[in-house]
Amino acid sequence: MRKVSEQGDLATWQGVFQATGPSRSITFDTAAGQVGACTPYIPTHLRPITVKAVGTPVLRPGRTAPVDLRARSYVVTGRVVTSTGGSFGRRLTVKIGRGAECDTADAGRSVRTDSSGRFSATLANTPAVALGAPAAQPHCVRLVGSGRDVLGHRVDLAKAAVTVPWTYRMPVSAPTVVKRGSKVVVRSKAPLKAWRPVYLERLHGRTAWRQVGWGPVRDSLRLDVQTTPDVLGRQTYRLRTHDSRAMSPRFVMTMTR
């Protein structure tokens, strides 16, 4: 490496670095005048110069539908393509991990891509829980290379984060017929954080919903929502959280005089 120009704080260096194996970045220490290969297991305080070769594999995770907390499994999909968007041309090994697996070499569920680079893996649904409530759990997809680092672990050729949203269908216990002016209690149970509000809404027209009551989730994960119906006839209701991750099926209460 040699310095070819310098203008203020900007210096331009030029040279050739020949790398073997999976290394795809180099660092240049201007103080020591050294160049070295970097791997995820060799920490450095230097700013790396990333070199991307033409035709390198790129991970494109598919969109994952919201997974019900009670579901036994869910599916993660995606495709491996080249950096120019074309087919990679051969089958590769992909690992799908979650939680601590994303930070551990060689951990996760292994699957093979098909001839077009697509992959699909079914994972057992084990929701992460924090303080008795569902918590976001990181997911990752890694493309496994044949090379190994200095610790003997396989080096990933590509890595991507996967978003796996969750949902929950709340059960409902509510009277079917109520008298005008009387108070009604709608009950449910949901694995949500204690004291999180759940709203009772009534369908207004075809698509609009109006809030008619709310109640907090207790430590027992149960909740009671009180309301006083003020519209005669059959009315459609639902329970839901503010972000709609937890929602009940629609139910009907009929108010009489």
Side-chain angles (χ1 to χ4, degrees):
M1 297 284 288
R2 65 186 182 86
K3 185 187 295 185
V4 295
S5 66
E6 186 171 5
Q7 184 176 0
D9 294 333
L10 178 63
T12 303
W13 297 77
Q14 189 177 63
V16 176
F17 178 78
Q18 184 176 359
T20 59
S23 299
R24 291 184 297 159
S25 66
I26 60 173
T27 57
F28 181 68
D29 187 341
T30 56
Q34 296 177 347
V35 178
C38 294
T39 75
Y41 305 99
I42 302 178
T44 176
H45 65 282
L46 305 174
R47 178 176 296 177
I49 302 172
T50 303
V51 181
K52 293 183 179 180
V54 176
T56 55
V58 176
L59 275 167
R60 290 183 178 175
R63 185 175 181 180
T64 302
V67 179
D68 194 297
L69 291 178
R70 297 171 297 183
R72 293 185 177 182
S73 62
Y74 57 94
V75 178
V76 175
T77 62
R79 188 183 181 193
V80 179
V81 297
T82 66
S83 56
T84 55
S87 176
F88 198 71
R90 60 187 176 91
R91 301 185 65 187
L92 300 168
T93 300
V94 174
K95 281 186 177 291
I96 294 93
R98 57 188 171 188
E101 293 176 338
C102 291
D103 299 321
T104 305
D106 301 330
R109 170 76 185 280
S110 294
V111 294
R112 293 275 285 175
T113 62
D114 62 15
S115 58
S116 64
R118 301 185 185 278
F119 61 87
S120 176
T122 301
L123 303 182
N125 189 24
T126 54
V129 177
L131 302 177
Q137 182 174 216
H139 283 67
C140 58
V141 178
R142 302 196 301 270
L143 184 60
V144 180
S146 59
R148 294 179 181 272
D149 63 13
V150 293
L151 299 179
H153 300 303
R154 291 189 182 276
V155 177
D156 301 329
L157 297 180
K159 186 175 181 179
V162 178
T163 300
V164 182
W166 62 265
T167 185
Y168 183 77
R169 193 169 177 83
M170 302 171 62
V172 174
S173 175
T176 56
V177 179
V178 298
K179 289 187 177 181
R180 186 173 188 176
S182 61
K183 290 186 178 181
V184 174
V185 179
V186 178
R187 295 183 168 88
S188 185
K189 183 177 182 180
L192 303 175
K193 189 174 181 179
W195 305 110
R196 182 175 184 178
V198 174
Y199 303 98
L200 175 65
E201 298 178 329
R202 176 171 59 84
L203 182 63
H204 181 74
R206 292 180 177 270
T207 59
W209 292 89
R210 290 184 177 177
Q211 180 182 330
V212 294
W214 74 277
V217 178
R218 302 193 296 273
D219 292 335
S220 62
L221 305 185
R222 298 181 182 277
L223 63 104
D224 298 337
V225 180
Q226 290 189 358
T227 186
T228 303
D230 58 357
V231 179
L232 290 172
R234 288 169 52 90
Q235 302 296 324
T236 301
Y237 296 84
R238 72 179 182 185
L239 291 171
R240 77 173 185 95
T241 56
H242 178 70
D243 56 11
S244 298
R245 285 189 171 185
M247 187 181 299
S248 75
R250 297 183 180 189
F251 61 95
V252 173
M253 292 192 295
T254 301
M255 190 180 70
T256 60
R257 296 184 184 275

